[in-house]
Amino acid sequence: MKLRVSHLAAVLILLGLALGVTSCGKRSTRVAHGNKEQIFHLGNYAEPADLDPQIVIGDSESHILKALFEGLVIAGPKDLRPLPGVAERWEVSADGRVYTFFLRANAVWSDGEPVVADDFVKSYERILNPKLAAQNADMLFVLKGGEDYYAGRLQDFSKVGVKALDPKRLQINLRTPVPYFLALLNHHSWSPVPVKIVDQHGNRYDKGNRWTRPENLVSNGPFRLKDWKTQQEVVVQKNDKYWDAKQVRLREIHFYPIESRDTEDRAFRAGQLHATYEITASKFDAYKASAGSSLRVDPYYGVYYLRVNIDPAKQTNPALKDVRVRRALSMAIDRESLVRNITRAGERPAFSFVPPGPAGYEPREKLTFDPEEARRLLAEAGYPGGKGMPRVTLLLNTDELHKSITEALQQMWKKELGIEVEIINQEWKVYLATENNLDYQVARAGYTADYGDPNSFFDAMRTLSGNNNTGFASPEYDRFLTESLSAPNPAARVELLQQAEAVLLREVPVIPLYFYARTYLLQPSVKGWDANLIDHHPWKYVYLDESGIPEKLPTLGTAP
């Protein structure tokens, strides 16, 4: 999920980067200065839509929230193993349904107020309250009564499975045993928010509440918000009140919303960024072949796909209501060509929605590339050779790669099916609103796992999931997922997930295109930054080594 930076803002950012820092009359790059002062500079792609952990859903926001907030547990930097966070320890009932968390005595908010169990209770009520309409509310549906409260079937929140036993003991009751529950708690939707502070700046259920502005925001993580200059940078500084402040070595982190991959590449090679968000596809081979390159290609648990609006109440193209048309669109896509000729950075073609990975899940149901069958299905649906087929609009948020991919799809569908496609380009915030309102026909999308379990992908397509945004609502699909939680063994659980994905691919509300690879540039001075499936790098463990930066980055043949 990404946002375009305006041309003027990008120029201003580059001017600031190019100036560097001077010391004793000698020019220094930001990276060199940052290494000395423990100030990290990160290309973060998008201007954050907000910094409210219960509202935002994008990767760019998540990177910042990991610095500002901390939940009951955190994920280990190397193996994602659940580690104590605000909770110093926990106990689990014999049936796996009841968790009791013991909060740290020295866990406090950045204003010095103690973090108590009731902060979690009030936070969980806020995100589950339908008035907030939080897209990540479904992350808490594992709570007993959580989904019923969100859907309005339960009015009394005291009957939801979360209770403050005393100021430092929190009890959580699950509707069923959840094998990945502790990993789930690492997601920012489970972080506490200072509801008392939220209330001081507006209605706690209103999006856009100004409690997240720098002068107002109170957080409980290893960093606190120092500054937020729209379309330029977000700056966080070390939170000396954090319970584990001694572990934190970085003094500041600067997050830059640089949408252009070429702009970001030049800034990195000029020594102005410690890490990029992504890499320009055209430079991948050159970086890969270059000795001493800062290229990183890490495993990444995510899928790039298309959403198809099949909501009967909001469908704007009647042809897309027909599953034969949706299947034809999928079958006419040459995914191998997309990753070979356009993305070109280690991605794999996706013939399923859920990538193979943890829990022994290897997708059994697969889509195919079959233009002849696609043409037959389209004709059977009443549109032979595309005749009579309403023009399809294809929505994307502004991005160089998204544009190239959608143009390739436009050509494939024209060539193989005779379908006319109009590409609609919108800035990130507008694009999000358009998708959320289901005011689109087909839209590009990306999903990366919130935790290291296939359920993260499956939950995204549940009927009430805020990440669904297609109108797909299948009781059969939801039932398979619910039953998988109480499966008697891992093999039985995987079988139920296989059946759920078969339903999803049969109905085709989503058209997977490729599985991500995490491809970016990282300065050798960055330490404590470990590769893992969900691109999780806890900022409390990251630091900078002045001796690790080369005097000069390698010259690339494709450099501008």
Side-chain angles (χ1 to χ4, degrees), residues 283-482:
K283 291 188 172 72
F284 177 77
D285 291 337
Y287 272 116
K288 189 175 181 180
S290 175
S293 171
S294 298
L295 176 67
R296 288 285 296 264
V297 183
D298 295 342
Y300 201 27
Y301 202 28
V303 61
Y304 189 105
Y305 65 104
L306 301 177
R307 286 189 173 104
V308 185
N309 182 355
I310 63 173
D311 190 294
K314 296 186 177 182
Q315 172 56 256
T316 57
N317 187 327
L320 297 177
K321 295 180 181 179
D322 194 321
V323 68
R324 294 169 297 184
V325 173
R326 302 197 297 273
R327 289 177 185 168
L329 291 175
S330 175
M331 288 183 172
I333 297 173
D334 186 348
R335 294 164 175 81
E336 296 280 359
S337 176
L338 286 179
V339 300
R340 182 176 62 251
N341 299 315
I342 297 179
T343 64
R344 300 168 56 190
E347 298 86 356
R348 295 167 294 152
F351 298 97
S352 61
F353 180 68
V354 183
Y361 187 78
E362 178 68 37
R364 184 171 62 209
E365 192 76 13
K366 299 288 181 67
L367 299 172
T368 60
F369 173 51
D370 191 342
E372 184 176 347
E373 176 65 8
R375 287 189 285 271
R376 188 194 70 77
L377 286 171
L378 196 65
E380 186 179 286
Y383 308 107
K387 293 180 181 178
M389 173 82 176
R391 175 180 291 185
V392 174
T393 60
L394 179 51
L395 175 69
L396 71 149
N397 57 292
T398 307
D399 178 272
E400 300 152 4
L401 183 60
H402 299 338
K403 182 174 183 291
S404 297
I405 290 171
T406 52
E407 288 175 347
L409 295 174
Q410 182 184 48
Q411 294 170 8
M412 290 177 188
W413 287 339
K414 176 66 175 177
K415 174 187 174 184
E416 304 293 355
L417 302 176
I419 291 175
E420 297 292 334
V421 176
E422 177 187 0
I423 295 174
I424 298 177
N425 182 39
Q426 294 180 344
E427 292 189 0
W428 178 240
K429 292 182 181 180
V430 179
Y431 158 87
L432 281 180
T434 301
E435 273 204 333
N436 292 341
N437 295 330
L438 276 80
D439 188 21
Y440 74 94
Q441 295 182 16
V442 181
R444 61 74 39 192
Y447 188 85
T448 54
D450 295 315
Y451 47 95
D453 189 275
N455 194 79
S456 183
F457 294 89
F458 285 106
D459 258 1
M461 294 307 298
R462 278 186 183 270
T463 299
L464 290 179
S465 172
N467 288 300
N468 185 327
N469 285 341
T470 64
F472 173 68
S474 168
E476 183 184 20
Y477 177 86
D478 293 348
R479 176 173 58 81
F480 282 134
L481 297 192
T482 299

Side-chain angles (χ1 to χ4, degrees), residues 113 170 252 289 368 418 524 536 546:
E113 289 293 313
L170 179 74
E252 289 185 359
T368 60
H536 176 70
E546 185 177 356

Side-chain angles (χ1 to χ4, degrees), residues 52 54-55 123 125-135 150 203-207:
D52 187 328
Q54 297 189 323
I55 290 177
S123 296
E125 189 283 328
R126 179 178 183 254
I127 191 172
L128 284 171
N129 195 301
K131 295 177 184 177
L132 186 64
Q135 286 185 263
Y150 178 81
N203 188 309
R204 71 173 65 174
Y205 305 116
D206 285 349
K207 293 178 179 177

Side-chain angles (χ1 to χ4, degrees), residues 23-38:
S23 177
C24 300
K26 183 178 180 181
R27 182 176 296 277
S28 172
T29 66
R30 282 194 169 178
V31 165
H33 179 263
N35 291 342
K36 293 178 182 178
E37 300 297 330
Q38 293 296 315

Side-chain angles (χ1 to χ4, degrees), residues 66 68-77 80-90 100-108 115-116 120 124 168 170 182-183 185-187 190-192 220-222 241-245 247 536 538 540-541:
K66 286 174 183 175
L68 294 174
F69 293 92
E70 181 174 275
L72 295 165
V73 303
I74 63 174
L80 304 178
R81 178 172 56 92
L83 299 175
V86 174
E88 61 183 356
R89 63 185 179 91
W90 50 85
T100 303
F101 294 92
F102 298 81
L103 309 190
R104 299 178 184 278
N106 59 342
V108 299
V115 176
V116 296
F120 288 88
Y124 296 167
K168 290 296 181 177
L170 179 74
L182 289 175
L185 288 177
N186 182 55
H187 190 261
W190 288 89
S191 298
N220 74 318
K241 292 185 172 63
Y242 176 58
W243 68 268
D244 198 20
Q247 173 66 47
H536 176 70
K540 65 188 288 183
Y541 299 115

